[in-house]
Amino acid sequence: MNHPTEQVAIAILSRNNQYLMQLRDNFPHIAHPGCWGLFGGHLEADEPPEIALEREILEEIGYQLPSFTKFGVYSNMKVLHHVFHAPLLVGLDKLMLNEGWDMGLLTAADILQGACYSAVAGEIRPLGDIHHEIMLDFISKHT
C-alpha cells in the first residue's frame, strides 16, 4: 500500500457556528481548483504540523492563531492532511486574503449542501472533496 508523500496542515476556523473557508484559485494545476477549502498548506522539510499550521495561517490571512487543537488526520492517495480546530476571534475585515480567490464564513447548511455562493466568483462553487468530508465529520461531532 502506498502512503502519501505530501503532508499539509489545515485549520477549521470557527466563529459563531460558521466556518472560515478559502475559495481556492481557479488554476487547473492546483488541487481542488475553484473549490472551497480549508486554510493551511504544505509542511516544509522536517517541519512539525503545528508549526506549519501557524506559519500557513499567518501567511494566507494574516491571522495569529490564539490556540488550536488537533481534530484528526485524513488521507487520500496523494496527501496526508493534519487537521486542527481553532477559534476565529476577529471579523473578516481584520483578515487579509493573501492566497486564494475569495474567503467566506460558511454555515453548516452550506457545508451540508456541499457548495456556497462567492460574490467574487459571482456563482455558487463546490467544496473540495476532502475538505467537504472533513467538515461533515467536524459538524457531526460538534453540533
Side-chain angles (χ1 to χ4, degrees):
M1 180 174 144
N2 291 339
H3 293 286
T5 54
E6 291 183 60
Q7 294 188 62
V8 297
I10 54 180
I12 299 168
L13 298 168
S14 61
R15 175 183 171 92
N16 300 327
N17 296 315
Q18 295 181 311
Y19 307 95
L20 182 67
M21 297 191 79
Q22 172 196 55
L23 183 58
R24 296 178 55 79
D25 287 312
N26 203 16
F27 302 144
H29 66 279
I30 67 170
H32 314 290
C35 292
W36 291 102
L38 297 166
F39 283 98
H42 288 88
L43 277 64
E44 294 178 356
D46 299 321
E47 184 179 38
E50 295 80 4
I51 300 300
L53 181 75
E54 290 181 301
R55 176 182 52 75
E56 286 286 343
I57 298 302
L58 196 56
E59 287 174 5
E60 291 184 356
I61 56 174
Y63 183 57
Q64 182 73 50
L65 291 173
S67 63
F68 55 90
T69 57
K70 187 96 177 217
F71 174 65
V73 177
Y74 290 74
S75 180
N76 58 21
M77 297 303 290
K78 297 180 181 179
V79 181
L80 187 66
H81 300 79
H82 300 272
V83 184
F84 298 87
H85 173 241
L88 181 62
L89 303 177
V90 300
L92 293 185
D93 61 325
K94 301 292 184 200
L95 302 175
M96 176 67 68
L97 183 63
N98 296 316
E99 186 175 309
W101 192 5
D102 195 5
M103 68 177 163
L105 289 168
L106 278 65
T107 64
D110 295 328
I111 291 160
L112 290 173
Q113 73 181 15
C116 184
Y117 180 78
S118 163
V120 173
E123 61 187 3
I124 294 172
R125 303 298 301 190
L127 273 72
D129 292 344
I130 189 82
H131 300 271
H132 191 211
E133 176 188 342
I134 292 165
M135 290 306 301
L136 289 173
D137 283 353
F138 184 84
I139 289 168
S140 74
K141 292 176 176 143
H142 291 89
T143 55

